[in-house]
Amino acid sequence: MSPGSYVLAAAAVAAFIGVCVWLAASVERAPVARTRVEQFARRHDLLITPANGNRVIGYLATTRRWRTVGLACGLLASIGWAVAHSGLGVDALTLFAGWFVGALVAEVRLASLTSGPRRAALLLPRVPAAYLPRFAWALLPAAALVSVAVGAATAIAALGGTDVDAAALVWFGAAITVAVVVRVVQLRVLRRPQPVAEPDVLAADDAIRSRSLHVLAGGGASLVLYCVLGQAAALATLLPAGVLPAAGALPVQAAAVVGIPLLGWLVATARWPIRRSAGPAGALPANEAS
Amino acid sequence: MIVEVDVGSPTPPYEQIRVQIARMIDTAVLPAGTRLPPIRQLAADLGVAANTVARAYRELETEGLVVSRVRHGTTVARQRPKLPQAEVNRRLTEAARAYTALARQLGVPADLAESTVRTQLRDLER
């Protein structure tokens, strides 16, 4: 390739990155659409009121901002990796991973309800079952368990004297790291302070918590399962031909392109009606009146 | 089932929390077997140190009002401890003295103060 071609290619990549960054900035600055707020309210049977509306909008704006930044970073990482290996392309997994890291950062940065002059709290333990289905809460450890099982199978196959591909260790390490980090952030979301407030504000806070936990469960489990696919591909090279499907086999491709994203999306966007009623602003439910 | 902390009060926060939870247990607002929130959750929600809530829970456990078990959290005790009769009489007399002083301060006649107590006792039994 001539020097002129290199310059042109670099200019094209720079222009592409510039356009993507501009798009991301435009998305980040745009106001939260009414349809997004309505969709959020529908998913949780939440009544949007003047008291809780800003909180919901703030949540949607914060998560959108950081997920966009994460997606942009994933794009840059993907292009950078391809260019460093004398190629030019975008890897979907890197994009998704970048988006999900942005989602994690958003959850860490989301502010909790602030205490007013009155320091009060409900004597109700916040448990995962109040915010998402049990299977969704169990999805992440289940995916991590599959990773451990594949890792154990790789170790056993390697004990036979075969050299273990370093990729197997990298994918295993990545799977467990993702599982642990996501679980820690989920627990942080659950334990985010919730002082006593008006019922509609508390209902919105519960809905936000629920949506966060759903996204973390679906996205986290998907990312771990992608790592498991990588582990399985490395394991397949250690085993006799035909024991495990190769990376390019149809079942593997179906899982990667359809199955895992569908599972993650279904969990992340599932409906979960909030049990606490919004009620009229200014009124506390009778059993919570002091 | 709300517990409040007044940071400006001379009563320490852990004592405020302990008294309120004990009262809820005594009046069956918190029935036996009810699980209390984890220490860190309640501390974060109230904006106090975890040790403050931990001390309140510890004192409630010493009084036999709650039971703490690893991985099960803190729950309201199913069997209430029986206080010696002398201690029961002492606490009743103390409460009565405080109530009488308040009635005098408010200028309330004795029969009204008495009927108010009877009404409260009737409501508790319902």
Side-chain angles (χ1 to χ4, degrees):
Chain A
M1 214 167 145
S2 63
S5 302
Y6 277 119
V7 170
L8 272 173
V13 168
F16 178 68
I17 292 172
V19 166
C20 292
V21 170
W22 173 79
L23 273 173
S26 302
V27 165
E28 194 272 332
R29 276 198 297 267
V32 175
R34 186 188 179 91
T35 49
R36 277 197 74 206
V37 177
E38 288 172 351
Q39 182 188 59
F40 179 87
R42 258 196 318 272
R43 281 182 178 156
H44 296 286
D45 282 355
L46 176 70
L47 179 66
I48 301 292
T49 66
N52 69 17
N54 280 342
R55 183 151 183 87
V56 171
I57 290 169
Y59 164 73
L60 293 172
T62 301
T63 51
R64 183 184 63 185
R65 179 186 316 125
W66 285 104
R67 290 172 192 178
T68 305
V69 168
L71 188 63
C73 291
L75 179 65
L76 289 174
S78 178
I79 292 174
W81 178 268
V83 167
H85 290 78
S86 305
L88 199 65
V90 172
D91 175 49
L93 181 57
T94 311
L95 281 181
F96 172 62
W99 175 89
F100 189 68
V101 168
L104 282 172
V105 171
E107 296 307 331
V108 169
R109 291 188 63 90
L110 272 169
S112 52
L113 284 176
T114 50
S115 299
R118 177 188 177 212
R119 288 206 196 184
L122 285 168
L123 285 176
L124 282 174
R126 284 195 289 280
V127 294
Y131 299 101
L132 77 175
R134 289 182 199 277
F135 102 88
W137 181 250
L139 202 53
L140 189 65
L145 215 58
V146 172
S147 175
V148 168
V150 176
T154 307
I156 291 169
L159 281 174
T162 321
D163 286 335
V164 175
D165 188 351
L169 290 173
V170 171
W171 284 119
F172 176 67
I176 299 306
T177 302
V178 167
V180 168
V181 168
V182 172
R183 186 54 110 208
V184 165
V185 176
Q186 282 183 315
L187 290 173
R188 186 186 166 108
V189 167
L190 206 56
R191 290 174 188 156
R192 205 182 283 156
Q194 188 182 66
V196 168
E198 300 297 334
D200 53 345
V201 174
L202 287 179
D205 189 67
D206 283 344
I208 286 168
R209 239 171 260 262
S210 171
R211 187 49 43 201
S212 297
L213 289 172
H214 275 87
V215 169
L216 292 172
S222 294
L223 211 47
V224 171
L225 287 174
Y226 273 121
C227 294
V228 169
L229 279 184
Q231 284 180 261
L235 177 61
T237 62
L238 298 179
L239 300 176
V243 174
L244 269 185
L250 188 59
V252 176
Q253 292 297 316
V257 174
V258 178
I260 294 175
L262 187 61
L263 174 68
W265 183 80
L266 285 173
V267 171
T269 59
R271 280 191 77 235
W272 186 256
I274 291 303
R275 292 171 198 176
R276 195 197 308 265
S277 110
L284 281 174
N287 66 339
E288 291 173 3
S290 56
Chain B
M1 294 193 296
I2 294 177
V3 63
E4 292 191 44
V5 166
D6 179 3
V7 292
S9 166
T11 308
Y14 78 87
E15 179 65 14
Q16 295 180 48
I17 295 168
R18 185 198 69 79
V19 162
Q20 289 173 71
I21 294 178
R23 190 178 307 138
M24 286 187 218
I25 294 173
D26 284 339
T27 54
V29 169
L30 285 173
T34 304
R35 194 168 160 219
L36 296 180
I39 290 171
R40 283 191 190 178
Q41 177 191 314
L42 188 55
D45 290 353
L46 286 172
V48 300
N51 279 342
T52 301
V53 176
R55 183 166 176 183
Y57 279 16
R58 247 190 340 264
E59 302 217 349
L60 287 165
E61 193 172 13
T62 304
E63 292 173 29
L65 295 176
V66 303
V67 174
S68 290
R69 282 183 300 172
V70 175
R71 287 205 277 174
H72 288 84
T74 304
T75 51
V76 177
R78 294 198 181 274
Q79 285 177 344
R80 297 288 309 279
K82 286 200 178 349
L83 286 172
Q85 190 58 43
E87 177 63 19
V88 170
N89 292 343
R90 187 192 69 78
R91 290 193 190 187
L92 274 180
T93 306
E94 209 173 281
R97 204 170 278 147
Y99 179 71
T100 311
L102 176 65
R104 283 239 173 94
Q105 202 179 343
L106 294 172
V108 164
D111 52 355
L112 176 58
E114 201 179 319
S115 67
T116 305
V117 171
R118 287 190 192 285
T119 305
Q120 290 300 312
L121 285 170
R122 256 200 317 271
D123 288 347
L124 256 180
E125 280 161 15
R126 274 196 210 128

